[in-house]
Amino acid sequence: MAVDPRIVLVPGGFTGAWMWADVVAVLKRDGIEALAVELPTIGEGSVGADFYADVASVREILDRVEPPVVLCGHSYGGAVITEAASGPHPAVRELVYLTAAVPDAGDSLVSLMSAAAAQEPDAEEEGVTVRDDGLAFLDHEAARRALFHDCPPERAEKGLRRLRPMSLAGGDQPVREAAWRQLPSVYVRGSEDRMPEAVASGFLEQAAQVVELPTGHCPNWSRPDLVAQLLAERARSVAV
């Protein structure tokens, strides 16, 4: 007898569960349970929170939900799911990397992004400034160009208003074990993505599937319909 799958959605840096709201709504209409999580490093109260805190928060959710689970990470969230699902976690059946960072064991977000930027020197930069308390902020005009350039103006403004500060305390913390070496993975790139593609060597050759959407870096915001359709297909494929 088939068991209803669940989808756990991990946001990128500076965003939050709000980035997934429309994706979750479409999936719900299709009868698929989806949960968008909040990360400890994001928000005004995140001073000192680090990468491993984000990993622990996602793993705690995975410990509570019934399998089978499709675990999807967007942007920075890709690094989080890489560590959180390692083992592999018994609830997770598949990883989906949505325009996401894909580190290997030993990589930190800083090392991965530095290597990616060196390979794509013309890629867009987000425009990060760091406050005295260690929280980082995105410049709105840089974020508009890097994250929301494929959105209608009103939609882009709505996303920009919802951006939040982020603790960068864990930027140099390495991934201890890479779940994509243990679980089937799908990589989703945006054909109009202006951010550097931060993907560990060997991942694309090992990925079960590589999908391209006609979007920029935040397809969960610009085209939630396409993202929900893709995730629904992945969820149904892991139902057992």
Side-chain angles (χ1 to χ4, degrees):
M1 180 178 178
V3 176
D4 290 339
R6 291 162 178 80
I7 302 174
V8 176
L9 304 165
V10 180
F14 304 96
T15 63
W18 61 266
M19 181 71 86
W20 294 107
D22 292 338
V23 174
V24 170
V26 175
L27 289 169
K28 184 177 180 180
R29 289 199 296 269
D30 286 345
I32 297 175
E33 183 181 346
L35 171 65
V37 306
E38 298 285 3
L39 296 176
T41 57
I42 299 174
E44 282 288 349
S46 65
V47 175
D50 60 15
F51 172 68
Y52 294 143
D54 286 342
V55 169
S57 70
V58 172
R59 195 159 183 103
E60 182 181 358
I61 290 168
L62 295 176
D63 289 343
R64 295 201 313 263
V65 298
E66 292 292 326
V69 170
V70 172
L71 179 61
C72 178
H74 170 239
S75 194
Y76 162 72
V80 177
I81 70 170
T82 297
E83 173 93 2
S86 65
H89 192 285
V92 181
R93 297 292 182 272
E94 186 173 85
L95 305 171
V96 177
Y97 289 91
L98 182 67
T99 58
V102 188
D104 202 350
D107 292 332
S108 69
L109 196 66
V110 168
S111 69
L112 188 70
M113 291 301 296
S114 296
Q119 292 294 320
E120 300 181 55
D122 296 329
E124 196 72 57
E125 294 185 3
E126 291 174 299
V128 177
T129 58
V130 181
R131 206 165 62 186
D132 289 344
D133 62 3
L135 291 190
F137 292 77
L138 290 185
D139 173 78
H140 278 199
E141 289 311 308
R144 187 196 309 276
R145 296 190 300 270
L147 306 181
F148 301 122
H149 65 92
D150 61 327
C151 296
E154 288 186 5
R155 182 72 169 174
E157 287 297 329
K158 188 175 182 181
L160 290 167
R161 288 195 301 270
R162 293 187 176 188
L163 292 175
R164 293 185 284 170
M166 181 177 183
S167 169
L168 302 183
D172 59 354
Q173 291 175 322
V175 169
R176 294 166 291 199
E177 192 176 10
W180 58 265
R181 292 193 176 275
Q182 305 160 339
L183 291 163
S185 302
V186 175
Y187 183 70
V188 186
R189 57 163 55 104
S191 61
E192 305 302 319
D193 193 349
R194 295 177 176 177
M195 295 293 291
E197 190 168 83
V199 176
S201 175
F203 168 73
L204 293 177
E205 290 77 8
Q206 188 165 318
Q209 188 177 0
V210 178
V211 179
E212 186 167 288
L213 298 180
T215 68
H217 191 65
C218 298
N220 40 352
W221 190 247
S222 63
R223 290 299 306 271
D225 55 327
L226 295 182
V227 174
Q229 179 182 359
L230 183 149
L231 290 173
E233 291 170 356
R234 301 321 309 163
R236 293 185 182 111
S237 76
V238 304
V240 294

